[in-house]
Amino acid sequence: MRYVVGCDHAGLPLKAPLIAELEMRGHEVHDIGTDSPESVDYPLFAAVAAAAVRDGRADRGLLICGTGLGMALTANRFERVRAVTVSEPFSARMARAHNDANVLCMGARVVGPGLALEILGAWLDQEFEGGRHQARVDMVMRPEGGLER
Ligand code: RB5
């Protein structure tokens, strides 16, 4: 699969080990930075990655900041993006199995490299279950959940 990977200064410590794991498992990685510990604005990196997923230039995204929260908030503003912030493997599995999430966000101030690799592994090993979950994901992707107001 083609992964677009991005981080801000706070997420930088996790980027290299996670990219190494993706490549070790045969995934193609497009690293959009940042590559230095100098302070940068996470929305800029989330937007570049999310646009790649939206446009089909990447199949999935991996975004890392201090908490994983700002990255997900930004990425979810883009069509076709389902970004989740995860800090343990069970949620990573369920985000794939039930939500068909296509962007994984993590916080390098929340999880260390060992746990981050476990989370990524759980995410990569789990397929979307489809079925009743597909109908719910379709609802999620409609503006405002498809609800009348
Ligand atoms: C940067 O200090 C921090 O705000 C950012 O990495 C992220 O945690 C935002 O959600």
Side-chain angles (χ1 to χ4, degrees), residues 132-147:
R132 69 186 189 281
H133 302 297
Q134 182 63 63
R136 292 166 182 163
V137 169
D138 292 344
M139 291 173 72
V140 169
M141 299 314 285
R142 289 203 286 269
E144 304 196 351
L147 297 174

Side-chain angles (χ1 to χ4, degrees), residues 8-10 42 65-71 109:
D8 70 356
H9 55 287
Y42 63 82
C65 60
T67 58
L69 300 174
M71 289 296 199
R109 294 173 180 161

Side-chain angles (χ1 to χ4, degrees), residues 3-7 30 32-33 42-64 71 74-75 78 81 102-103:
Y3 269 81
V4 59
V5 179
C7 68
H30 179 209
I32 59 154
Y42 63 82
L44 301 177
F45 293 85
V48 169
V53 172
R54 176 197 63 197
D55 297 343
R57 287 177 281 116
D59 303 303
R60 290 189 192 160
L62 171 62
L63 289 169
I64 318 142
M71 289 296 199
T74 309
F78 286 72
V81 168
N102 54 11
V103 176

Side-chain angles (χ1 to χ4, degrees), residues 72-87:
L73 286 169
T74 309
N76 278 320
R77 305 297 303 271
F78 286 72
E79 271 185 71
R80 288 183 283 284
V81 168
R82 292 177 295 283
V84 289
T85 305
V86 168
S87 51

Side-chain angles (χ1 to χ4, degrees), residues 27 47 52 66 72-73 82 97 102 111 119 126 143:
H27 297 287
L73 286 169
R82 292 177 295 283
N102 54 11
V111 297
I119 290 166
Q126 181 66 55

